[in-house]
């Protein structure tokens, strides 16, 4: 099931990639291909537990949206600027939102979603997930939000999709600390792991939403920070690894999803 | 006996917490005189939430509370802190309804002072909010005005910024506009300068000038009433606006709007264009009654001279 979600995200992003190159999409897009196992694993876990959390992502949100059950057609429409889009054509790629899956939009100030997520969680006591990048977590207001979440023992999960880059600036050029250590200093339950679904399940299974948790997940972004292109060849991405591990059946499922997404895109493009 | 504005704010807050299950956020609320006596003595279990000293994050956290419909009050104890607190309110809460169809109604109470408290704390700083779309700004100085705005807030789902002034908390009186007769000049004061403008108007009228006054407290959206436009058009020397914020902000913007609608000269007096501090040398006060009187006399005599010469 996690694989299906991840495969959906990957093929969706690959289609977006094509549409950007064809200039069918003419505003900045933020592709999450390569990183999809992070939201997919967490979405699967949350789904198994029959919890529908509030979701606060940032600019790179397609895979969050799709993993948590956002409607595929509505996301295509959103990226095509249509009124039938998940955000009525007002969100584009960066600011997608969905009432159906409790996903709040992002305004583009990196890390602000940590503050909003913590406030929403505090005032509603509802399970909440905040997705951050490894750069956003450096923002002072993100750190203040972690501290408040710990102090108030909120049912919140902070997920850092750690692809090592702030645009193209590497982590080692920006800081000498680990996000996990800082979160721990705030007294959060704090973890650092690879984007292996088994690891993620194991870490979160017992205590998710029972107390505030911080999980930094190492992952790989396949495409440019924004738009369609490749910085350098990335080897050994998670989806490929999982497909190899799961075998022939996974290849079949993957192909099916790929064709479905391709068709959907074509159908929606004809509506333009 | 009429109540002081302080009590009215306290009563509104109490009702908001108890009847509507609202929340009040801010820093150092429970100490330091309970926000100059405007906050009922309640604690977290009642919905009064002490925030950490993390102003930027706090603005975002209150936005989160607003997004889930708690209609929070957010107290910014000195408007100088708006600089940090405004970031996510202006960039998220104010846009949320328009972009994501997800309103974030919140009632921000920004307190201003007169004079110094260090280079940032003093006076009103609403101009930084003013330019952003999706916010409503008010500066009530009386009971009726405050009650009207709170009622409006509860009927809508918008971000409200209430620019308060500590000097108004004792006020028990209501303000009245005077624009009936043909006038020489009309004062249009904002915030705490309304008290001084009233004094100035009375004094000038005693001296034989015909001075009217229009009290401004609904600042954004700014609606110029028809009868105001007519009175301004008929006035001999136009308008003098006064405020407790720097002139190169909201004041000049409003002045321009009035000028566009009336074709009259609109003069402005606010904080001087210099850094304000906590010393005698650096104090930067809003215009006093005397300043206003002098300015009106200068405006009128200048114009008279011009007319005579030209
Ligand atoms: C407050 C703020 N500062 C800087 C930027 C410019 N910016 C946009 S995306 C980005 C990198 C974010 O990196 P990360 O949080 O790791 O997320 P990723 O792009 O890797 O998913 C930066 C610096 C911004 N949008 N907002």
């Amino acid at each position: 099931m996690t694989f299906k979600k991840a495969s959906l995200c990957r093929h969706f992003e690959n289609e977006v990639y094509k549409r950007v190159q064809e200039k069918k999409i003419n505003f900045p897009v933020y592709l999450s291909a390569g990183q999809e196992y992070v939201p997919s694993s967490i979405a699967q876990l949350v789904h198994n537990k029959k919890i529908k959390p509030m979701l606060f992502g940032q600019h790179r949100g397609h895979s969050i949206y799709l993993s948590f059950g956002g409607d595929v057609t509505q996301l295509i429409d959103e990226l095509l600027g249509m009124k039938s889009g998940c955000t009525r054509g007002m969100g584009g790629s960066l600011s997608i939102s969905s009432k159906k899956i409790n996903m709040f939009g992002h305004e583009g100030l990196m890390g602000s979603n940590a503050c909003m997520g913590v406030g929403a969680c505090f005032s509603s006591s509802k399970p909440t997930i905040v997705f951050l990048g490894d750069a956003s977590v450096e923002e002072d207001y993100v750190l203040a939000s972690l501290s408040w979440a710990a102090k108030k023992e909120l049912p919140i999960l902070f997920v850092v999709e750690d692809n090592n880059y702030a645009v193209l600036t590497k982590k080692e050029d920006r800081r000498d600390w680990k996000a996990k250590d800082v979160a721990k200093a705030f007294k959060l339950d704090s973890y650092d792991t690879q984007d292996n679904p088994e690891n993620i399940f194991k870490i979160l299974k017992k205590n998710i939403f029972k107390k505030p948790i911080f999980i930094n997940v190492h992952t790989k972004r396949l495409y440019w920070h924004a738009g369609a292109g490749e910085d350098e060849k990335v080897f050994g991405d998670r989806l490929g690894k999982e497909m190899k591990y799961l075998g022939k059946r996974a290849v079949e499922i993957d192909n099916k999803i790929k064709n479905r997404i391709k068709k959907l895109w074509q159908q929606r493009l004809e509506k333009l | 006996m009429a109540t002081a504005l302080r009590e009215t704010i306290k009563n509104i807050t109490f009702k908001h917490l108890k009847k509507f299950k609202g929340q009040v956020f801010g820093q150092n609320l429970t100490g330091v005189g309970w926000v100059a006596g405007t906050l009922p003595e309640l604690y977290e279990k009642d919905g009064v939430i002490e925030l950490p000293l993390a102003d930027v994050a706090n603005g975002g956290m209150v936005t989160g509370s607003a997004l889930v419909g708690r209609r929070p009050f957010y107290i910014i104890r000195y408007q100088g802190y708006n600089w940090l607190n405004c970031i996510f309110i202006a960039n998220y809460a104010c846009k949320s309804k328009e972009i994501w169809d997800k309103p974030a109604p919140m009632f921000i109470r920004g307190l201003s002072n007169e004079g110094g408290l260090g280079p940032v704390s003093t006076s009103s700083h609403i101009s930084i909010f003013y330019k952003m779309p999706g916010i409503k700004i008010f500066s009530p100085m009386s009971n009726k005005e405050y009650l009207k705005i709170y009622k409006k807030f509860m009927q809508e789902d918008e971000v409200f910024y209430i620019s308060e002034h500590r000097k108004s908390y004792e006020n028990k009186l209501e303000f009245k506009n005077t624009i009936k007769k043909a006038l020489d000049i009309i004062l249009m004061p904002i915030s705490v300068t309304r008290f001084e403008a009233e004094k100035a108007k009375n004094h000038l009228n005693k001296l034989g000038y015909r001075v009217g006054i229009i009290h401004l407290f609904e600042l954004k959206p700014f609606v110029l009433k028809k009868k105001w436009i007519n009175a301004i058009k008929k006035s001999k020397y136009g308008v003098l606006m006064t405020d407790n914020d720097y002139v190169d902000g909201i004041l000049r913007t409003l002045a321009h709007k009035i000028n566009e609608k009336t074709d009259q000269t609109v003069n402005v007096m606010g904080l001087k264009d210099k850094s304000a501090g906590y010393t005698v040398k650096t104090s930067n006060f809003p215009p006093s009654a005397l300043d206003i009187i002098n300015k009106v006399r200068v405006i009128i005599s200048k114009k008279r001279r011009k007319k005579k010469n030209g």
Side-chain angles (χ1 to χ4, degrees):
Chain A
M1 288 302 270
T2 308
F3 174 77
K4 271 190 185 168
K5 284 183 188 297
S7 162
L8 166 69
C9 298
R10 173 67 57 91
H11 294 301
F12 186 90
E13 297 296 55
N14 285 345
E15 282 296 320
V16 180
Y17 190 104
K18 274 193 250 164
R19 307 308 165 199
V20 172
Q21 291 205 319
E22 291 165 7
K23 297 200 171 8
K24 292 271 180 347
I25 299 173
N26 291 310
F27 48 75
V29 297
Y30 298 88
L31 300 179
S32 47
Q35 304 188 178
E36 54 278 278
Y37 253 93
V38 185
S40 296
S41 307
I42 294 168
Q44 190 56 50
L45 176 73
V46 163
H47 177 81
N48 294 347
K49 287 181 173 284
K50 297 193 171 49
I51 299 172
K52 199 176 161 194
M54 294 193 286
L55 303 169
F56 288 85
Q58 38 183 53
H59 60 306
R60 206 175 297 287
H62 302 175
S63 290
I64 301 172
Y65 174 93
L66 294 169
S67 299
F68 282 83
D71 184 274
V72 183
T73 308
Q74 281 186 20
L75 184 53
I76 297 174
D77 289 1
E78 186 61 40
L79 297 179
L80 295 176
M82 290 155 76
K83 245 192 163 161
S84 45
C86 57
T87 313
R88 298 146 30 252
M90 299 283 281
S93 167
L94 185 147
S95 300
I96 53 171
S97 67
S98 163
K99 288 186 183 172
K100 193 184 133 213
I101 61 163
N102 284 339
M103 182 175 179
F104 293 76
H106 192 244
E107 87 287 29
L109 294 174
M110 291 303 118
S112 66
N113 50 322
C115 314
M116 267 69 102
V118 166
C121 183
F122 176 82
S123 282
S124 68
S125 306
K126 286 188 183 151
T128 305
I129 306 180
V130 171
F131 287 92
L132 299 158
D134 54 279
S136 306
V137 81
E138 292 161 9
E139 290 285 4
D140 44 10
Y141 41 85
V142 172
L143 302 177
S145 305
L146 298 180
S147 160
W148 178 252
K151 164 87 189 133
K152 296 293 165 188
E153 297 174 358
L154 301 181
I156 195 166
L157 172 66
F158 296 97
V159 182
V160 177
E161 296 186 8
D162 182 352
N163 61 22
N164 194 34
Y165 286 111
V167 188
L168 265 183
T169 312
K170 287 189 173 145
K171 225 167 35 193
E172 67 197 37
D173 296 326
R174 309 189 318 254
R175 57 170 145 111
D176 283 332
W177 47 269
K178 286 189 172 153
K180 175 198 147 198
D181 294 338
V182 170
K184 197 168 171 215
F186 287 126
K187 302 209 166 12
L188 286 164
D189 246 19
S190 157
Y191 304 89
D192 196 83
T193 183
Q194 296 301 320
D195 59 355
N196 174 341
E198 259 177 67
N199 286 6
I200 296 174
F201 286 165
K202 214 159 109 191
I203 289 168
L204 298 178
K205 211 169 149 186
K206 202 164 145 222
N207 282 327
I208 188 168
F209 305 132
K210 290 195 179 132
K211 52 177 164 173
I213 298 178
F214 182 96
I215 182 171
N216 187 85
V217 189
H218 298 272
T219 182
K220 289 173 179 167
R221 158 160 65 74
L222 293 187
Y223 302 139
W224 278 346
H225 164 70
E230 289 171 66
D231 296 316
E232 55 186 33
K233 264 275 168 281
V234 176
F235 295 102
D237 83 290
R238 178 57 55 187
L239 190 79
K241 279 186 198 163
E242 291 298 315
M243 193 133 74
K244 230 182 195 168
Y245 172 72
L246 295 169
K248 213 173 127 201
R249 178 85 186 105
V251 178
E252 280 169 21
I253 293 173
D254 191 60
N255 266 328
K256 239 184 184 170
I257 292 174
K258 182 177 172 180
N259 291 332
R260 180 166 76 90
I261 297 298
K262 198 172 166 183
K263 225 165 144 186
L264 256 181
W265 266 96
Q266 272 162 359
Q267 281 170 5
R268 299 316 290 172
L269 279 165
E270 278 161 21
K271 293 249 169 216
L272 275 182
Chain B
M1 213 176 75
T3 6
L5 179 57
R6 168 180 290 121
E7 287 303 313
T8 301
I9 300 174
K10 203 180 191 176
N11 294 340
I12 287 173
T13 311
F14 188 83
K15 186 169 131 191
H16 194 70
L17 289 167
K18 295 292 173 191
K19 192 169 166 195
F20 299 115
K21 297 259 173 292
Q23 287 179 314
V24 177
F25 291 88
Q27 292 170 343
N28 316 120
L29 299 179
T30 47
V32 204
W34 296 85
V35 193
T38 59
L39 189 66
E41 296 188 14
L42 299 170
Y43 295 90
E44 183 154 334
K45 65 177 172 37
D46 310 295
V48 177
I49 320 295
E50 282 287 2
L51 287 173
L53 219 67
D55 289 69
V56 177
N58 291 351
M61 297 198 289
V62 179
T63 298
S65 169
L67 285 171
V68 296
R70 293 299 295 268
R71 289 192 169 265
F73 276 28
Y74 186 29
I75 298 176
I76 300 174
R77 289 195 313 117
Y78 290 94
Q79 286 196 20
Y81 311 151
N82 281 353
W83 293 105
L84 299 172
N85 282 277
C86 72
I87 297 170
F88 301 130
I89 296 171
N91 288 292
Y92 197 105
C94 293
K95 296 176 183 173
S96 188
K97 185 173 160 185
E98 187 182 345
I99 307 245
W100 299 291
D101 191 27
K102 197 99 190 135
M106 66 167 90
F107 193 83
I108 306 156
R109 289 185 50 205
L111 280 65
S112 60
N113 245 42
E114 235 174 351
L117 248 192
V120 299
S121 297
T122 178
S123 309
S124 306
H125 285 279
I126 42 175
S127 297
I128 50 173
F129 276 106
Y130 190 83
K131 69 172 194 170
M132 293 308 278
I135 193 161
K136 293 194 170 178
I137 301 180
F138 308 90
S139 186
M141 293 287 125
S142 79
N143 289 300
K144 265 195 191 159
E145 291 169 1
Y146 208 102
L147 282 162
K148 179 182 171 190
I149 288 158
Y150 174 70
K151 195 171 160 200
K152 194 171 158 66
F153 170 68
M154 292 308 279
Q155 287 164 348
E156 299 181 1
D157 53 12
E158 308 283 334
V159 178
F160 276 42
Y161 190 98
I162 319 302
S163 175
E164 299 178 8
H165 198 286
R166 286 169 189 261
K167 236 185 173 177
S168 72
Y169 293 153
E170 279 298 305
N171 183 35
K172 297 179 179 176
L173 304 174
E174 295 300 326
F175 296 93
K176 249 200 196 138
N177 293 337
T178 43
I179 48 171
K180 288 225 171 81
K181 299 171 277 186
L183 298 163
D184 289 329
I185 194 164
I186 297 178
L187 305 178
M188 292 181 86
I190 300 171
S191 179
V192 73
T193 67
R194 293 168 63 188
F195 296 99
E196 293 296 298
E198 271 292 330
K199 285 185 215 162
K201 178 203 72 178
N202 293 338
H203 187 78
L204 284 161
N205 283 335
K206 271 187 206 149
L207 293 179
Y209 295 95
R210 290 165 305 162
V211 178
I213 192 163
I214 297 173
H215 286 276
L216 298 179
F217 70 97
E218 292 166 299
L219 304 178
K220 188 174 180 173
F222 182 64
V223 183
L224 260 184
K225 293 185 183 157
K226 225 177 182 155
K227 57 182 174 185
W228 298 357
I229 294 174
N230 290 339
I232 294 168
K233 275 185 174 167
K234 273 195 274 170
S235 70
K236 223 163 162 186
Y237 303 106
V239 171
L240 172 60
M241 299 186 75
T242 55
D243 192 13
N244 187 37
D245 202 340
Y246 288 100
V247 279
D248 285 336
I250 182 171
L251 205 49
R252 284 207 201 280
T253 309
L254 294 183
H256 183 66
K257 287 185 184 199
I258 297 168
N259 168 264
E260 276 179 330
K261 285 258 159 76
T262 62
D263 245 350
Q264 282 279 31
T265 306
V266 184
N267 292 277
V268 291
M269 281 178 99
L271 296 192
K272 283 156 215 84
D273 193 21
K274 65 168 199 167
S275 300
Y278 204 7
T279 65
V280 175
K281 268 194 185 154
T282 56
S283 64
N284 195 350
F285 289 103
S288 65
L290 187 62
D291 295 333
I292 298 170
I293 290 166
N294 288 338
K295 181 80 179 179
V296 166
R297 297 177 81 159
V298 169
I299 293 169
I300 292 179
S301 63
K302 244 191 197 167
K303 286 243 175 174
R304 277 183 184 156
R305 227 176 307 137
K306 220 173 166 185
K307 215 169 166 188
K308 215 163 119 190
N309 296 341

